[in-house]
């Protein structure tokens, strides 16, 4: 695989400026590769006509689209990586690992299993219908679906749902995040150049453009982002009785038990937390542990940060940047919520906030009120497992819950007595890389799930069929 050389900071700034003028609310067509103004209503009508005509239904069309998307990622991954660097300071290695190769794996897994996932499934028939009756389910595409993506993994979180929507045989409108403008511009150029524009459209833009799209009738809306906008999406969907998948966020706790190898825990926590400068929906939001373990963990977390990013993380190519000044200011305001163990500083001009660990954090402090979504890891102390479980259950259901323990009892109790989108035992983030696991939230962290066969379930209707012979 071709891995591009990481761009320097200067290159990133220049690229970012160049890329910051996407054509808003327009659809790019391959015929001209120029943006042509097409209203959302016209886009949806055009795609709906294509769906009705059966364009997206043949499995051969679906697999062809997936292979074309795969080719885009492998042949032009370097362009995407450069855009991700421009938007978020992502290193090339991180861009490939968490966005480009991630999506390629999702495509490969889907191509390998799609026939099986689409197969009709027989259902047992009750005796009162007679021995000659048969029942089964058929997996059918929904129609025209809308995918709205956020800025933090702006390629992966647009393309992985697109993989599922195409594999399920739908026409698709994708709306990249305007807060990752370089990535949005590259996707708006490359997707129409590779995919069937008769059934796949890219609409760029922010709130006005998304609001206009949401006024249209879709057959499913797949939204990833924050819960406030999730509510906007769900209200708009209700007008048309359109089902939604909401992939939201929240504060994902990491419980650390006594008597575990804290050096391993610190290393895994630091890797999971500071990836993408903490702007990961399933990043460990805060650590929950007893006071003795907290004291022992502090120097190990400091050591882990220094091992990952050196004494000066600002000069490390491996460390990302905060997406914009608004989020920089929000995060800066949280740095005073506890005693600084490591980090604690920032540079607004560079949108840099140091990987930071805060100790002695009061649960009532600002950093504990909302999802942090940045490189700040507070340590909150509890006396024991009962108090930890109570702490989690007193708050919104998280997208992920992480547990570091050697005790089966502790594992079982947390699994049984708490609710979260996913449960990571010993390793943050990794559950979402398992294509055979559903990825999604519960309660405030979202509804519905995707990846692998769960994407097919999300973007399909399972039609019940009963047959009773006439003679
Ligand atoms: P964002 O600001 O990019 O918004 C997401 C999308 O919603 C964008 O495409 C944007 O244009 C659109 N949007 C914004 N305001 C809108 C409005 N008023 N009406 C219609 N559309 C609107 O991203 P964000 O919300 O800041 O993303 C961060 C949040 O997303 C965090 O809470 C994070 O945890 C969550 N997240 C969840 C997942 C997941 O898979 N569950 C993944 C990544 C991020």
């Amino acid at each position: 695989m071709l891995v591009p050389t990481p761009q320097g900071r200067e290159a990133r700034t220049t690229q970012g400026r160049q890329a910051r003028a996407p054509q808003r609310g327009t659809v790019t067509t391959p015929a001209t590769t120029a943006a042509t103004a097409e209203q959302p209503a016209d886009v949806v009508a055009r795609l709906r006509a294509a769906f009705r005509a059966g364009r997206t239904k043949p499995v051969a069309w679906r697999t062809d689209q997936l292979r074309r998307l795969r080719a885009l990622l492998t042949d032009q991954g370097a362009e995407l990586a450069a855009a991700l660097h421009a938007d978020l300071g992502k290193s090339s290695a991180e861009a490939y690992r968490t966005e480009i190769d991630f999506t390629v794996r999702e495509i490969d897994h889907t191509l390998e299993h799609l026939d099986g996932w689409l197969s009709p499934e027989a259902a047992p028939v009750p005796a009162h219908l007679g021995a000659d009756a048969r029942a089964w389910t058929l997996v059918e595409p929904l129609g025209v679906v809308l995918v709205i993506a956020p800025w933090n993994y702006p390629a992966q979180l647009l393309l992985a749902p697109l993989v599922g929507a195409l594999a399920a045989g739908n026409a698709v409108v994708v709306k990249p995040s305007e807060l990752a403008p370089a990535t949005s511009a590259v996707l708006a150029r490359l997707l129409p150049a590779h995919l069937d524009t008769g059934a796949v459209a890219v609409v760029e833009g922010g709130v006005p453009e998304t609001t206009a799209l949401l006024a249209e009738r879709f057959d499913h809306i797949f939204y990833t982002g924050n819960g406030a906008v999730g509510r906007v999406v769900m209200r708009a969907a209700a007008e048309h009785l359109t089902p939604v998948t909401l992939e939201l966020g929240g504060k994902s706790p990491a419980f650390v038990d006594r008597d575990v190898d804290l050096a391993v825990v610190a290393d895994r926590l630091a890797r999971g937390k500071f990836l993408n400068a903490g702007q990961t929906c399933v990043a460990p939001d805060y650590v929950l542990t007893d006071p003795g373990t907290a004291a022992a963990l502090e120097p190990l977390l400091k050591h882990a940060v220094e091992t990952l990013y050196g004494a000066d993380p600002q000069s490390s190519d491996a460390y990302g940047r905060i997406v914009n000044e608004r989020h920089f200011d929000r995060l800066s305001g949280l740095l005073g919520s506890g005693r600084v163990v490591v980090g604690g500083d920032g540079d607004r001009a560079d949108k840099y906030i140091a990987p930071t660990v805060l100790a002695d954090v009061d649960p009532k402090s600002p950093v504990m009120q909302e999802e942090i979504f940045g490189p700040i890891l507070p340590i909150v102390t509890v006396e024991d497992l009962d108090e930890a479980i109570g702490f989690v259950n007193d708050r919104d259901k998280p997208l992920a819950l992480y547990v570091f323990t050697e005790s089966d009892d502790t594992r079982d109790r947390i699994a049984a007595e708490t609710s979260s989108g996913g449960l990571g035992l010993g390793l943050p983030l990794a559950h979402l890389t398992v294509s055979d696991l559903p990825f999604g939230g519960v309660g405030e962290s979202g509804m519905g799930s995707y990846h692998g066969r769960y994407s097919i379930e999300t973007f399909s209707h399972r039609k019940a069929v009963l047959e009773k012979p006439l003679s």
Side-chain angles (χ1 to χ4, degrees):
M1 163 129 349
L2 178 71
V3 178
T5 318
Q7 309 284 319
R9 296 272 172 242
E10 281 304 313
R12 187 179 83 230
T13 313
T14 311
Q15 284 177 341
R17 267 201 298 272
Q18 281 172 347
R20 258 157 232 272
Q23 300 275 343
R24 297 255 162 129
T26 56
V27 183
T28 312
T29 64
T32 59
T33 61
T36 56
E38 190 181 12
Q39 295 305 309
D42 299 332
V43 178
V44 176
R46 183 166 63 75
L47 266 51
R48 191 168 296 290
F51 178 76
R52 286 227 184 111
R55 187 179 187 114
T56 64
K57 288 186 182 173
V59 175
W61 181 88
R62 308 180 195 189
T63 53
D64 179 57
Q65 295 302 300
L66 294 183
R67 290 197 179 94
R68 286 166 180 269
L69 183 56
R70 192 185 196 286
L72 180 165
L73 291 165
T74 52
D75 299 349
Q76 273 140 321
E79 276 187 64
L80 258 183
L84 291 163
H85 192 266
D87 285 329
L88 290 151
K90 278 188 204 206
S91 70
S92 173
E94 186 175 321
Y96 271 91
R97 186 158 54 95
T98 65
E99 308 227 34
I100 300 164
D101 290 347
F102 181 99
T103 311
V104 169
R105 274 206 314 278
E106 182 71 12
I107 291 172
D108 289 346
H109 183 72
T110 303
L111 286 171
E112 189 183 340
H113 298 285
L114 188 59
D115 282 342
W117 294 339
L118 296 176
S119 296
E121 267 180 35
V125 177
H128 73 266
L129 290 171
D132 59 349
R134 290 191 310 134
W136 66 95
T137 57
L138 279 182
V139 182
E140 66 176 26
L142 293 171
V144 184
V145 305
L146 172 62
V147 173
I148 304 174
W151 50 265
N152 63 328
Y153 289 85
Q156 185 217 127
L157 295 172
L158 186 98
L159 299 178
L162 174 63
V163 170
L166 291 172
N170 297 285
V172 193
V173 178
V174 290
K175 213 296 288 174
S177 176
E178 74 282 14
L179 299 184
T183 310
S184 178
V186 168
L187 289 170
R189 183 164 49 78
L190 294 183
L191 285 173
H194 285 74
L195 301 184
D196 176 3
T197 51
V200 182
V202 184
V203 175
E204 289 193 273
V207 176
E209 292 80 4
T210 317
T211 305
L213 274 175
L214 287 171
E216 298 304 316
R217 184 172 73 77
F218 288 93
D219 298 286
H220 193 92
I221 300 176
F222 188 104
Y223 166 80
T224 304
N226 68 77
V229 176
R231 285 167 168 80
V232 171
V233 169
M234 203 168 170
R235 269 195 289 271
E239 285 300 315
H240 300 288
L241 225 52
T242 297
V244 294
T245 301
L246 300 180
E247 296 281 343
L248 310 178
K251 292 182 89 62
S252 296
F255 174 72
V256 182
D257 207 354
R258 292 187 176 89
D259 304 326
V260 293
D261 185 336
L262 292 178
V264 172
V265 174
D267 174 66
R268 293 185 186 181
L269 275 174
R271 285 177 194 276
K273 177 71 186 191
F274 300 117
L275 182 78
N276 199 25
Q279 300 162 117
T280 302
C281 55
V282 283
D285 188 273
Y286 62 95
V287 173
L288 210 49
T289 192
D290 65 276
T293 306
L297 195 56
E298 286 177 24
L300 294 170
L301 279 168
K302 183 172 190 293
H303 177 72
V305 168
E306 287 166 358
T307 305
L308 283 173
Y309 304 112
D312 175 22
Q314 189 168 6
S315 62
S316 164
D317 280 343
Y319 189 63
R321 292 296 182 267
I322 304 307
V323 66
N324 57 29
E325 282 79 8
R326 183 170 65 82
H327 280 283
F328 177 91
D329 293 341
R330 178 183 65 78
L331 290 163
S332 297
L334 303 179
L335 290 169
S337 289
R339 172 170 54 81
V340 173
V341 173
V342 62
D345 57 317
D347 174 356
R348 194 172 194 270
D350 191 26
K351 289 181 279 190
Y352 163 80
I353 290 194
T356 298
V357 176
L358 298 177
D360 308 332
V361 173
D362 186 328
K364 295 196 177 62
S365 66
V367 81
M368 287 303 293
Q369 301 317 302
E370 284 183 1
E371 178 183 4
I372 298 167
F373 218 52
I376 306 170
L377 183 65
I379 304 176
V380 176
T381 56
V382 285
E383 283 311 315
D384 53 24
L385 180 61
D386 285 331
E387 197 182 328
I389 289 173
F391 193 95
V392 172
N393 289 338
D394 282 346
R395 288 162 176 77
D396 291 333
K397 292 179 181 178
L399 184 57
L401 175 57
Y402 301 113
V403 182
F404 297 89
T405 184
E406 299 282 6
S407 155
D408 290 344
D409 254 18
T410 301
R411 262 195 288 263
D412 293 349
R413 277 201 59 196
I414 290 183
E417 295 177 35
T418 66
S419 176
S420 54
L423 176 63
L425 303 172
L427 189 59
L429 273 48
H431 60 290
L432 81 82
T433 67
V434 180
S435 291
D436 284 319
L437 284 177
F439 179 64
V442 57
E444 279 287 325
S445 55
M447 61 183 72
S449 65
Y450 73 127
H451 288 175
R453 72 172 309 146
Y454 299 97
S455 291
I456 302 298
E457 297 297 321
T458 289
F459 289 112
S460 304
H461 168 59
R462 202 169 263 281
K463 182 153 68 184
V465 185
L466 175 88
E467 182 182 46
K468 174 80 176 169
L470 294 175
S471 54

